[in-house]
PDB file of all heavy atoms in Angstrom:
ATOM      1  N   PHE A   4     -37.405 -29.540  44.962  1.00  0.00           N
ATOM      2  CA  PHE A   4     -38.341 -28.510  44.519  1.00  0.00           C
ATOM      3  C   PHE A   4     -38.035 -27.176  45.197  1.00  0.00           C
ATOM      4  O   PHE A   4     -38.081 -26.122  44.580  1.00  0.00           O
ATOM      5  CB  PHE A   4     -39.766 -28.948  44.830  1.00  0.00           C
ATOM      6  CG  PHE A   4     -40.796 -27.891  44.508  1.00  0.00           C
ATOM      7  CD1 PHE A   4     -41.157 -27.644  43.183  1.00  0.00           C
ATOM      8  CD2 PHE A   4     -41.374 -27.123  45.515  1.00  0.00           C
ATOM      9  CE1 PHE A   4     -42.087 -26.674  42.880  1.00  0.00           C
ATOM     10  CE2 PHE A   4     -42.296 -26.149  45.208  1.00  0.00           C
ATOM     11  CZ  PHE A   4     -42.661 -25.922  43.888  1.00  0.00           C
ATOM     12  N   GLU A  49     -14.546  -9.172  19.004  1.00  0.00           N
ATOM     13  CA  GLU A  49     -14.564 -10.553  18.527  1.00  0.00           C
ATOM     14  C   GLU A  49     -13.721 -10.730  17.282  1.00  0.00           C
ATOM     15  O   GLU A  49     -12.970 -11.706  17.151  1.00  0.00           O
ATOM     16  CB  GLU A  49     -16.005 -10.990  18.246  1.00  0.00           C
ATOM     17  CG  GLU A  49     -16.134 -12.418  17.722  1.00  0.00           C
ATOM     18  CD  GLU A  49     -17.568 -12.783  17.404  1.00  0.00           C
ATOM     19  OE1 GLU A  49     -18.480 -11.987  17.715  1.00  0.00           O
ATOM     20  OE2 GLU A  49     -17.788 -13.863  16.840  1.00  0.00           O
ATOM     21  N   ARG A  91     -36.588  -9.011  24.388  1.00  0.00           N
ATOM     22  CA  ARG A  91     -37.984  -8.594  24.461  1.00  0.00           C
ATOM     23  C   ARG A  91     -38.220  -7.593  25.584  1.00  0.00           C
ATOM     24  O   ARG A  91     -39.061  -6.699  25.475  1.00  0.00           O
ATOM     25  CB  ARG A  91     -38.874  -9.811  24.649  1.00  0.00           C
ATOM     26  CG  ARG A  91     -38.996 -10.680  23.396  1.00  0.00           C
ATOM     27  CD  ARG A  91     -39.733 -11.954  23.662  1.00  0.00           C
ATOM     28  NE  ARG A  91     -38.942 -12.871  24.501  1.00  0.00           N
ATOM     29  CZ  ARG A  91     -39.343 -14.099  24.821  1.00  0.00           C
ATOM     30  NH1 ARG A  91     -40.513 -14.544  24.377  1.00  0.00           N
ATOM     31  NH2 ARG A  91     -38.575 -14.872  25.566  1.00  0.00           N
ATOM     32  N   SER A 106     -20.045   6.092  11.897  1.00  0.00           N
ATOM     33  CA  SER A 106     -20.303   4.751  11.359  1.00  0.00           C
ATOM     34  C   SER A 106     -21.046   4.857  10.033  1.00  0.00           C
ATOM     35  O   SER A 106     -21.860   5.754   9.820  1.00  0.00           O
ATOM     36  CB  SER A 106     -21.117   3.926  12.355  1.00  0.00           C
ATOM     37  OG  SER A 106     -22.414   4.457  12.491  1.00  0.00           O
ATOM     38  N   PHE A 124     -30.001  -7.135  38.581  1.00  0.00           N
ATOM     39  CA  PHE A 124     -29.663  -7.570  39.930  1.00  0.00           C
ATOM     40  C   PHE A 124     -30.699  -7.028  40.921  1.00  0.00           C
ATOM     41  O   PHE A 124     -31.391  -6.030  40.632  1.00  0.00           O
ATOM     42  CB  PHE A 124     -28.258  -7.092  40.298  1.00  0.00           C
ATOM     43  CG  PHE A 124     -27.174  -7.729  39.461  1.00  0.00           C
ATOM     44  CD1 PHE A 124     -26.817  -7.190  38.224  1.00  0.00           C
ATOM     45  CD2 PHE A 124     -26.528  -8.872  39.898  1.00  0.00           C
ATOM     46  CE1 PHE A 124     -25.829  -7.774  37.453  1.00  0.00           C
ATOM     47  CE2 PHE A 124     -25.540  -9.473  39.138  1.00  0.00           C
ATOM     48  CZ  PHE A 124     -25.192  -8.925  37.916  1.00  0.00           C
ATOM     49  N   VAL A 135     -22.626  -6.713  18.063  1.00  0.00           N
ATOM     50  CA  VAL A 135     -22.813  -5.717  17.001  1.00  0.00           C
ATOM     51  C   VAL A 135     -21.683  -5.850  15.983  1.00  0.00           C
ATOM     52  O   VAL A 135     -20.524  -6.109  16.339  1.00  0.00           O
ATOM     53  CB  VAL A 135     -22.824  -4.291  17.581  1.00  0.00           C
ATOM     54  CG1 VAL A 135     -23.115  -3.270  16.486  1.00  0.00           C
ATOM     55  CG2 VAL A 135     -23.827  -4.178  18.710  1.00  0.00           C
ATOM     56  N   ASP A 144      -3.739   7.870   6.246  1.00  0.00           N
ATOM     57  CA  ASP A 144      -2.696   8.649   5.585  1.00  0.00           C
ATOM     58  C   ASP A 144      -1.839   7.684   4.782  1.00  0.00           C
ATOM     59  O   ASP A 144      -1.161   6.818   5.344  1.00  0.00           O
ATOM     60  CB  ASP A 144      -1.856   9.387   6.630  1.00  0.00           C
ATOM     61  CG  ASP A 144      -0.791  10.252   5.988  1.00  0.00           C
ATOM     62  OD1 ASP A 144      -0.848  10.452   4.752  1.00  0.00           O
ATOM     63  OD2 ASP A 144       0.116  10.732   6.704  1.00  0.00           O
ATOM     64  N   GLU A 167     -24.700  16.376  31.211  1.00  0.00           N
ATOM     65  CA  GLU A 167     -25.464  16.739  32.406  1.00  0.00           C
ATOM     66  C   GLU A 167     -26.489  15.672  32.777  1.00  0.00           C
ATOM     67  O   GLU A 167     -26.963  15.640  33.918  1.00  0.00           O
ATOM     68  CB  GLU A 167     -26.170  18.075  32.166  1.00  0.00           C
ATOM     69  CG  GLU A 167     -25.209  19.240  31.960  1.00  0.00           C
ATOM     70  CD  GLU A 167     -25.954  20.533  31.708  1.00  0.00           C
ATOM     71  OE1 GLU A 167     -27.216  20.475  31.590  1.00  0.00           O
ATOM     72  OE2 GLU A 167     -25.317  21.597  31.604  1.00  0.00           O
ATOM     73  N   HIS A 197      -6.144   0.236  22.549  1.00  0.00           N
ATOM     74  CA  HIS A 197      -6.234   0.999  23.790  1.00  0.00           C
ATOM     75  C   HIS A 197      -7.472   1.887  23.742  1.00  0.00           C
ATOM     76  O   HIS A 197      -8.069   2.111  22.682  1.00  0.00           O
ATOM     77  CB  HIS A 197      -4.980   1.830  24.034  1.00  0.00           C
ATOM     78  CG  HIS A 197      -4.768   2.925  23.028  1.00  0.00           C
ATOM     79  ND1 HIS A 197      -4.274   2.694  21.765  1.00  0.00           N
ATOM     80  CD2 HIS A 197      -4.997   4.268  23.112  1.00  0.00           C
ATOM     81  CE1 HIS A 197      -4.185   3.818  21.107  1.00  0.00           C
ATOM     82  NE2 HIS A 197      -4.630   4.790  21.882  1.00  0.00           N
ATOM     83  N   ALA A 255      15.980  -5.420 -31.875  1.00  0.00           N
ATOM     84  CA  ALA A 255      16.153  -6.011 -30.546  1.00  0.00           C
ATOM     85  C   ALA A 255      16.105  -4.943 -29.459  1.00  0.00           C
ATOM     86  O   ALA A 255      15.397  -5.077 -28.452  1.00  0.00           O
ATOM     87  CB  ALA A 255      17.470  -6.785 -30.488  1.00  0.00           C
ATOM     88  N   THR A 263       9.649  -3.036 -21.747  1.00  0.00           N
ATOM     89  CA  THR A 263       9.847  -2.650 -20.344  1.00  0.00           C
ATOM     90  C   THR A 263       9.026  -1.418 -19.985  1.00  0.00           C
ATOM     91  O   THR A 263       8.485  -1.337 -18.869  1.00  0.00           O
ATOM     92  CB  THR A 263      11.332  -2.386 -20.089  1.00  0.00           C
ATOM     93  OG1 THR A 263      11.835  -1.452 -21.064  1.00  0.00           O
ATOM     94  CG2 THR A 263      12.128  -3.675 -20.181  1.00  0.00           C
ATOM     95  N   VAL A 281      -6.064   9.777  -3.945  1.00  0.00           N
ATOM     96  CA  VAL A 281      -5.597  10.825  -3.049  1.00  0.00           C
ATOM     97  C   VAL A 281      -4.836  11.874  -3.849  1.00  0.00           C
ATOM     98  O   VAL A 281      -4.314  11.601  -4.941  1.00  0.00           O
ATOM     99  CB  VAL A 281      -4.714  10.233  -1.935  1.00  0.00           C
ATOM    100  CG1 VAL A 281      -5.530   9.313  -1.041  1.00  0.00           C
ATOM    101  CG2 VAL A 281      -3.542   9.454  -2.531  1.00  0.00           C
ATOM    102  N   PHE A 297      13.797   5.495 -15.125  1.00  0.00           N
ATOM    103  CA  PHE A 297      14.996   4.759 -15.506  1.00  0.00           C
ATOM    104  C   PHE A 297      14.760   3.944 -16.770  1.00  0.00           C
ATOM    105  O   PHE A 297      15.618   3.899 -17.667  1.00  0.00           O
ATOM    106  CB  PHE A 297      15.425   3.844 -14.358  1.00  0.00           C
ATOM    107  CG  PHE A 297      16.366   4.498 -13.384  1.00  0.00           C
ATOM    108  CD1 PHE A 297      15.875   5.203 -12.310  1.00  0.00           C
ATOM    109  CD2 PHE A 297      17.733   4.410 -13.565  1.00  0.00           C
ATOM    110  CE1 PHE A 297      16.731   5.812 -11.407  1.00  0.00           C
ATOM    111  CE2 PHE A 297      18.603   5.017 -12.670  1.00  0.00           C
ATOM    112  CZ  PHE A 297      18.110   5.724 -11.586  1.00  0.00           C
ATOM    113  N   TYR A 344      44.490  -8.772 -53.603  1.00  0.00           N
ATOM    114  CA  TYR A 344      45.899  -8.532 -53.879  1.00  0.00           C
ATOM    115  C   TYR A 344      46.717  -8.993 -52.711  1.00  0.00           C
ATOM    116  O   TYR A 344      46.230  -9.137 -51.594  1.00  0.00           O
ATOM    117  CB  TYR A 344      46.170  -7.051 -54.173  1.00  0.00           C
ATOM    118  CG  TYR A 344      45.511  -6.576 -55.441  1.00  0.00           C
ATOM    119  CD1 TYR A 344      44.246  -6.015 -55.403  1.00  0.00           C
ATOM    120  CD2 TYR A 344      46.167  -6.710 -56.674  1.00  0.00           C
ATOM    121  CE1 TYR A 344      43.633  -5.594 -56.566  1.00  0.00           C
ATOM    122  CE2 TYR A 344      45.551  -6.288 -57.834  1.00  0.00           C
ATOM    123  CZ  TYR A 344      44.300  -5.724 -57.783  1.00  0.00           C
ATOM    124  OH  TYR A 344      43.699  -5.302 -58.921  1.00  0.00           O
ATOM    125  N   ASP A 348      51.559  -5.775 -52.174  1.00  0.00           N
ATOM    126  CA  ASP A 348      50.957  -4.759 -53.046  1.00  0.00           C
ATOM    127  C   ASP A 348      50.201  -3.736 -52.242  1.00  0.00           C
ATOM    128  O   ASP A 348      50.230  -2.542 -52.543  1.00  0.00           O
ATOM    129  CB  ASP A 348      50.040  -5.420 -54.068  1.00  0.00           C
ATOM    130  CG  ASP A 348      50.826  -6.255 -55.065  1.00  0.00           C
ATOM    131  OD1 ASP A 348      52.021  -5.951 -55.267  1.00  0.00           O
ATOM    132  OD2 ASP A 348      50.236  -7.205 -55.595  1.00  0.00           O
ATOM    133  N   TYR A 355      52.992   6.748 -49.697  1.00  0.00           N
ATOM    134  CA  TYR A 355      52.350   8.049 -49.852  1.00  0.00           C
ATOM    135  C   TYR A 355      52.344   8.767 -48.525  1.00  0.00           C
ATOM    136  O   TYR A 355      51.899   8.199 -47.520  1.00  0.00           O
ATOM    137  CB  TYR A 355      50.915   7.882 -50.368  1.00  0.00           C
ATOM    138  CG  TYR A 355      50.863   7.355 -51.775  1.00  0.00           C
ATOM    139  CD1 TYR A 355      50.776   5.981 -52.002  1.00  0.00           C
ATOM    140  CD2 TYR A 355      50.917   8.229 -52.866  1.00  0.00           C
ATOM    141  CE1 TYR A 355      50.741   5.483 -53.282  1.00  0.00           C
ATOM    142  CE2 TYR A 355      50.873   7.722 -54.148  1.00  0.00           C
ATOM    143  CZ  TYR A 355      50.787   6.364 -54.360  1.00  0.00           C
ATOM    144  OH  TYR A 355      50.740   5.876 -55.618  1.00  0.00           O
ATOM    145  N   LEU A 374      41.675  -1.250 -43.716  1.00  0.00           N
ATOM    146  CA  LEU A 374      41.929  -2.102 -44.865  1.00  0.00           C
ATOM    147  C   LEU A 374      41.782  -3.559 -44.468  1.00  0.00           C
ATOM    148  O   LEU A 374      42.357  -3.993 -43.467  1.00  0.00           O
ATOM    149  CB  LEU A 374      43.350  -1.868 -45.404  1.00  0.00           C
ATOM    150  CG  LEU A 374      43.661  -0.426 -45.840  1.00  0.00           C
ATOM    151  CD1 LEU A 374      45.120  -0.334 -46.247  1.00  0.00           C
ATOM    152  CD2 LEU A 374      42.759  -0.013 -46.983  1.00  0.00           C
ATOM    153  N   SER A 382      46.696 -19.173 -43.126  1.00  0.00           N
ATOM    154  CA  SER A 382      46.996 -18.607 -41.802  1.00  0.00           C
ATOM    155  C   SER A 382      46.847 -17.105 -41.794  1.00  0.00           C
ATOM    156  O   SER A 382      46.291 -16.512 -40.870  1.00  0.00           O
ATOM    157  CB  SER A 382      48.418 -19.007 -41.369  1.00  0.00           C
ATOM    158  OG  SER A 382      49.365 -18.516 -42.323  1.00  0.00           O
ATOM    159  N   HIS A 401      29.217   1.817 -28.559  1.00  0.00           N
ATOM    160  CA  HIS A 401      29.318   3.267 -28.503  1.00  0.00           C
ATOM    161  C   HIS A 401      29.785   3.689 -27.116  1.00  0.00           C
ATOM    162  O   HIS A 401      29.575   2.990 -26.121  1.00  0.00           O
ATOM    163  CB  HIS A 401      27.966   3.891 -28.833  1.00  0.00           C
ATOM    164  CG  HIS A 401      28.075   5.326 -29.255  1.00  0.00           C
ATOM    165  ND1 HIS A 401      28.157   6.354 -28.350  1.00  0.00           N
ATOM    166  CD2 HIS A 401      28.115   5.895 -30.496  1.00  0.00           C
ATOM    167  CE1 HIS A 401      28.232   7.503 -29.002  1.00  0.00           C
ATOM    168  NE2 HIS A 401      28.207   7.246 -30.303  1.00  0.00           N
ATOM    169  N   PHE A 417      21.898   3.665  -5.647  1.00  0.00           N
ATOM    170  CA  PHE A 417      21.938   4.809  -4.731  1.00  0.00           C
ATOM    171  C   PHE A 417      20.524   5.273  -4.379  1.00  0.00           C
ATOM    172  O   PHE A 417      20.230   5.593  -3.221  1.00  0.00           O
ATOM    173  CB  PHE A 417      22.728   5.950  -5.371  1.00  0.00           C
ATOM    174  CG  PHE A 417      22.823   7.178  -4.526  1.00  0.00           C
ATOM    175  CD1 PHE A 417      23.599   7.194  -3.378  1.00  0.00           C
ATOM    176  CD2 PHE A 417      22.128   8.337  -4.873  1.00  0.00           C
ATOM    177  CE1 PHE A 417      23.680   8.328  -2.583  1.00  0.00           C
ATOM    178  CE2 PHE A 417      22.204   9.469  -4.094  1.00  0.00           C
ATOM    179  CZ  PHE A 417      22.982   9.467  -2.941  1.00  0.00           C
TER     180      PHE A 417
END
Side-chain angles (χ1 to χ4, degrees):
F4 175 75
E49 179 182 353
R91 288 173 290 184
S106 67
F124 294 86
V135 184
D144 182 12
E167 296 179 354
H197 66 282
T263 52
V281 295
F297 271 88
Y344 294 92
D348 292 335
Y355 293 92
L374 301 176
S382 60
H401 200 277
F417 179 71

